[in-house]
Amino acid sequence: GKHRIVIPCLGHFKEEYEKVSKLYMDNKIRTTRYTLFNFLPRNLFEQFHRVANLYFLFLVVLNWVPLVEAFQKEITMLPLLGVLTIIAVKDGLEDYSRYKMDKQINNLVTKVYSR
């Protein structure tokens, strides 16, 4: 692996630079939407912003009411679970490919100008 290492010529200002540099973000590129910890809640939040998914959720909830029950409760959940699973897998694969591309770009060798 090639790594990008930038070492400034600081001399006696090194300690001051280290104190000040903690206040700023690094220059890594991150285009991914999810992490391992927030994938499921954030993906479900984004998916239920779609009207079709809300409609299917409404049908599932409505089918749990005994007076309105048209099908078995489990059968009404299948289309919604299928759609949510397929979209979550697609989003996960897209985000993983973004992660790999970010990692590749962040590990490129760069040239640093030094007087």
Side-chain angles (χ1 to χ4, degrees):
K2 299 177 181 179
H3 295 281
R4 180 172 63 179
I5 300 173
V6 178
I7 302 173
C9 238
L10 297 176
H12 60 281
F13 296 111
K14 185 175 182 180
E15 291 177 15
E16 183 180 347
Y17 170 76
E18 288 175 356
K19 288 180 192 175
V20 172
S21 66
K22 290 179 184 177
L23 303 173
Y24 299 103
M25 296 291 293
D26 58 4
N27 64 348
K28 288 185 179 180
I29 294 172
R30 183 175 181 265
T31 58
T32 58
R33 283 194 237 167
Y34 309 108
T35 63
L36 289 176
F37 300 111
N38 74 358
F39 177 76
L40 189 62
R42 189 167 182 185
N43 187 269
L44 288 174
F45 178 75
E46 289 177 4
Q47 287 194 43
F48 281 115
H49 272 85
R50 297 183 180 134
V51 178
N53 291 343
L54 285 175
Y55 172 74
F56 282 115
L57 181 65
F58 174 72
L59 289 179
V60 168
V61 171
L62 191 63
N63 203 34
W64 283 84
V65 176
L67 292 173
V68 187
E69 183 178 350
F71 304 107
Q72 292 179 347
K73 296 172 183 145
E74 297 81 19
I75 291 177
T76 356
M77 295 171 58
L78 288 178
L80 179 64
L81 290 176
V83 168
L84 293 178
T85 303
I86 290 170
I87 294 174
V89 168
K90 177 191 70 83
D91 288 346
L93 291 174
E94 286 176 358
D95 208 52
Y96 181 69
S97 67
R98 279 192 219 111
Y99 166 76
K100 288 192 327 186
M101 185 62 72
D102 291 347
K103 191 173 179 180
Q104 181 182 2
I105 290 171
N106 286 330
N107 289 327
L108 288 175
V109 176
T110 60
K111 293 182 180 181
V112 177
Y113 175 75
S114 178
R115 292 185 223 175

